[in-house]
Amino acid sequence: MSIQVGDRLPEATFTVMGKDGPEQVSSDALFKGKRVVLFAVPGAFTPTCSEQHLPGFVGLADEIKAKGNVATIACTAVNDVFVLNAWAKTRGAEDSITMLADGNGDFAKSLGFDLDLSKFGLGKRSQRYAMVLDDGVVQYLGVEDSPPEHIKATAEKVLASF
């Protein structure tokens, strides 16, 4: 069963790139008492993720934060923190998007959004989704039906949800 609107996110630990290197951060530290937009991509540097999904959130970050009273916009992927950090730098996202590495896919699996892309040589990944969280509770959720789709989990859909 996948997470739904009204559900609380499960506890999780992510890896983020701190100023001195990789750091662990808990879901409570990220989401408790805050309004957060969280979106997931199947993989950094992949075509739809790099050309459409991430750029949409980078371009609308200020508007999303202002209109939705959002403290943080975060992106998660089943990639390591070094890949996500490099991706943020190359896509101009380092100042607007917090990158949350779910290196083993534990978070994606706990949400029911794990995806097996082994037949494409990509291994276990996350479905593409976007959600608005208020104190860790899902207020809005858009989940794509297949990895190349970018219809339901867009920055525009998140913005329209406020």
Side-chain angles (χ1 to χ4, degrees):
M1 181 67 146
S2 300
I3 196 164
Q4 302 290 318
V5 171
D7 291 346
R8 179 169 295 283
L9 282 185
E11 290 184 28
T13 301
F14 300 95
T15 306
V16 298
M17 187 58 75
K19 69 177 191 176
D20 296 322
E23 299 175 356
Q24 300 293 300
V25 63
S26 72
S27 52
D28 269 359
L30 292 164
F31 307 119
K32 190 173 185 179
K34 303 172 195 166
R35 179 172 266 188
V36 176
V37 169
L38 175 65
F39 68 99
V41 296
F45 293 105
T46 58
T48 303
C49 304
S50 290
E51 301 303 323
Q52 295 175 35
H53 205 177
L54 179 63
F57 281 98
V58 172
L60 291 175
D62 291 340
E63 197 172 341
I64 288 170
K65 287 179 178 179
K67 186 175 180 187
N69 192 27
V70 170
T72 304
I73 300 173
C75 175
T76 186
V78 182
N79 288 118
D80 65 67
V81 70
F82 300 102
V83 168
L84 288 180
N85 189 53
W87 190 46
K89 286 180 181 179
T90 63
R91 303 307 299 180
E94 19 181 17
D95 294 330
S96 55
I97 310 296
T98 301
M99 294 292 175
L100 305 175
D102 180 23
N104 294 323
D106 296 334
F107 181 68
K109 187 173 185 173
S110 73
L111 297 180
F113 293 153
D114 51 321
L115 181 65
D116 188 351
L117 296 177
S118 297
K119 66 182 178 182
F120 302 110
L122 297 172
K124 306 283 185 182
R125 298 295 178 120
S126 174
Q127 285 181 264
R128 183 183 314 282
Y129 64 84
M131 60 176 69
V132 176
L133 302 159
D134 196 352
D135 193 28
V137 176
V138 180
Q139 304 296 309
Y140 167 83
L141 178 62
V143 183
E144 301 297 353
D145 296 320
S146 71
E149 287 185 1
H150 183 244
I151 301 164
K152 301 174 186 174
T154 67
E156 292 82 5
K157 292 279 187 189
V158 168
L159 186 59
S161 77
F162 298 119

